[in-house]
Amino acid sequence: MLDMLNGLLFSPLASLEVGEHLYWEVGNLKIHGQVFITSWVVMGLLIGASLLGTRNAQRVPQGWQNFMEYVLDFVRTLTRDQLGEKEYRAWLPFVGTLFLFIFTCNWTGILVPWKLIELPAGELAASTNDINTTAALALLTSLAYFYAGFSRKGLLGYFKGYLYPSPIMLPFKIIEDFTKPLSLSFRLFGNILADELVVGVLVLLVPVLLPLPLMVLGLFLSGIQALIFATLASTYIAEALEDHEHEAGHEEEHGTEMA
Amino acid sequence: MDSLTSAASVLAAALAVGLGAIGPGLGQGRAAGQAVEGIARQPEAEGKIRGTLLLSLAFMEALTIYGLVVALVLLFANPFAG
């Protein structure tokens, strides 16, 4: 399904693959099985962590609950900084899910020794090194901010904002709706794939010591990429919710302040 | 694929990333330098400055990523392969 969708949106890039894939046939569709396998592992990890964090919940958190509350606070701060005090609660689950899923995909791609598991074709790696995954996440973000705009202002009200501050801006606003998901998906995909390619090449050349600093750098960069994806998603939603006509009295701060 | 197309594709891929990284690299270096100076001047605004800097770096980096995607297309999914 993602392959077909991707083929429609990025025709020249529809076959952009690095290496080989484990193809699964689902009806008439061919999907990348290795992406689903690692995604399911990530989902399992996140669900497991959440269940552990809420089991035997105590008022004074201990151990794992303490850690999970720290994670929640981080995600909440991230969302609140972009969406403001009044709006962020409705969107926290979405933005939080984006951040945690991307972050966990990226880090398991680097830390888990997937190489030990042999597949008939292709190899297990971070789900986010496949353009299909990142395009799907970017399109979810597009759907989210369109939904935010429509539910807040209605169909006509939202698109009236495209003429703000001047009708001359209309073409740029329309182009923006295509470049936003494009840049979101390419940025994440390019970063993760590039890091994995660099580590792979270095392992070929100097197997033991040299790749290590680059893997540490990769952990840092992939964490930053998850943060940026979630931050930009929040920002786009905040833009869609913003009411230009009452901007003079606008008190909410849409800064990028971080804890 | 004939050898001329192969050679041209490899050169184009190298140039796409190599040249594409110059502008963002200069821009990011300048932005990071200014951010560090700003934090030195006003330490209490560190969080705000860092957040804005990260977003700016992401937007600048995206330009290089586009070059990388072009390079990857030429290397692994070449549309000019006959």
Side-chain angles (χ1 to χ4, degrees), chain A:
Chain A
M1 175 178 68
L2 290 179
D3 267 316
M4 274 184 52
L5 182 63
N6 229 40
L8 291 176
L9 291 177
F10 312 108
S11 297
L13 302 179
S15 60
L16 173 62
E17 320 283 8
V18 178
E20 298 177 352
H21 298 274
L22 176 68
Y23 286 107
W24 287 347
E25 302 278 348
V26 179
N28 291 324
L29 305 175
K30 292 176 71 177
I31 57 178
H32 296 167
Q34 82 276 4
V35 172
F36 279 84
I37 292 173
T38 52
S39 291
W40 290 336
V41 169
V42 167
M43 292 174 197
L45 284 175
L46 289 172
I47 293 173
S50 302
L51 291 178
L52 282 179
T54 52
R55 184 186 61 181
N56 297 326
Q58 304 167 40
R59 183 165 295 276
V60 179
Q62 305 283 340
W64 193 254
Q65 182 189 342
N66 200 14
F67 173 71
M68 290 305 290
E69 289 198 9
Y70 172 81
V71 170
L72 172 63
D73 192 59
F74 178 85
V75 171
R76 182 173 64 188
T77 302
L78 165 70
T79 310
R80 183 170 53 201
D81 284 341
Q82 305 304 321
L83 283 156
E85 197 67 36
K86 295 177 184 174
E87 306 287 354
Y88 83 93
R89 288 182 191 279
W91 294 99
L92 179 53
F94 175 72
V95 175
T97 301
L98 280 181
F99 174 78
L100 292 175
F101 179 77
I102 296 170
F103 184 88
T104 311
C105 277
N106 294 350
W107 273 44
T108 55
I110 298 171
L111 295 174
V112 176
W114 298 111
K115 278 287 192 176
L116 300 180
I117 303 175
E118 280 292 330
L119 295 184
E123 62 179 9
L124 296 174
S127 305
T128 44
N129 79 355
D130 192 310
I131 189 71
N132 297 286
T133 307
T134 59
L137 294 170
L139 291 174
L140 282 178
T141 302
S142 290
L143 289 178
Y145 73 73
F146 275 119
Y147 169 79
F150 290 162
S151 62
R152 173 57 58 86
K153 305 169 182 173
L155 202 76
L156 290 182
Y158 176 70
F159 283 120
K160 188 162 66 173
Y162 280 41
L163 302 177
Y164 179 87
S166 160
I168 295 176
M169 295 301 291
L170 179 60
F172 298 104
K173 299 281 182 144
I174 294 175
I175 290 173
E176 208 174 57
D177 283 331
F178 294 102
T179 58
K180 279 175 175 174
L182 196 77
S183 66
L184 276 178
S185 59
F186 276 170
R187 183 185 299 111
L188 180 56
F189 162 73
N191 269 276
I192 303 308
L193 184 62
D195 178 62
E196 293 191 352
L197 286 178
V198 169
V199 171
V201 170
L202 285 182
V203 168
L204 286 179
L205 298 175
V206 189
V208 177
L209 288 180
L210 195 54
L212 219 53
L214 276 160
M215 294 176 76
V216 174
L217 178 66
L219 286 177
F220 175 71
L221 289 180
S222 55
I224 293 289
Q225 285 303 317
L227 180 68
I228 285 167
F229 197 107
T231 302
L232 288 178
S234 304
T235 304
Y236 295 158
I237 293 168
E239 280 181 13
L241 291 171
E242 197 168 8
D243 194 347
H244 295 296
E245 292 167 2
H246 299 96
E247 204 161 47
H250 203 274
E251 296 173 13
E252 276 182 321
E253 185 179 350
H254 289 295
T256 54
E257 187 170 7
M258 295 169 61

Side-chain angles (χ1 to χ4, degrees), chain B residues 32-67:
Chain B
Q34 295 294 319
V36 170
E37 285 188 18
I39 292 173
R41 202 178 304 121
Q42 196 135 353
E44 64 271 17
E46 177 186 357
K48 201 168 286 195
I49 294 175
R50 193 197 315 115
T52 307
L53 174 68
L54 279 181
L55 274 184
S56 307
L57 294 183
F59 282 118
M60 286 184 260
E61 187 189 25
L63 304 179
T64 303
I65 297 294
Y66 296 153

Side-chain angles (χ1 to χ4, degrees), chain B:
Chain B
M1 191 186 332
D2 66 87
S3 59
L4 184 59
T5 305
S6 297
S9 298
V10 170
L11 283 177
L15 289 174
V17 178
L19 293 180
I22 294 175
L26 290 173
Q28 286 189 347
R30 182 175 179 80
Q34 295 294 319
V36 170
E37 285 188 18
I39 292 173
R41 202 178 304 121
Q42 196 135 353
E44 64 271 17
E46 177 186 357
K48 201 168 286 195
I49 294 175
R50 193 197 315 115
T52 307
L53 174 68
L54 279 181
L55 274 184
S56 307
L57 294 183
F59 282 118
M60 286 184 260
E61 187 189 25
L63 304 179
T64 303
I65 297 294
Y66 296 153
L68 173 69
V69 172
V70 170
L72 291 175
V73 170
L74 287 171
L75 294 178
F76 298 111
N78 197 318
F80 305 112

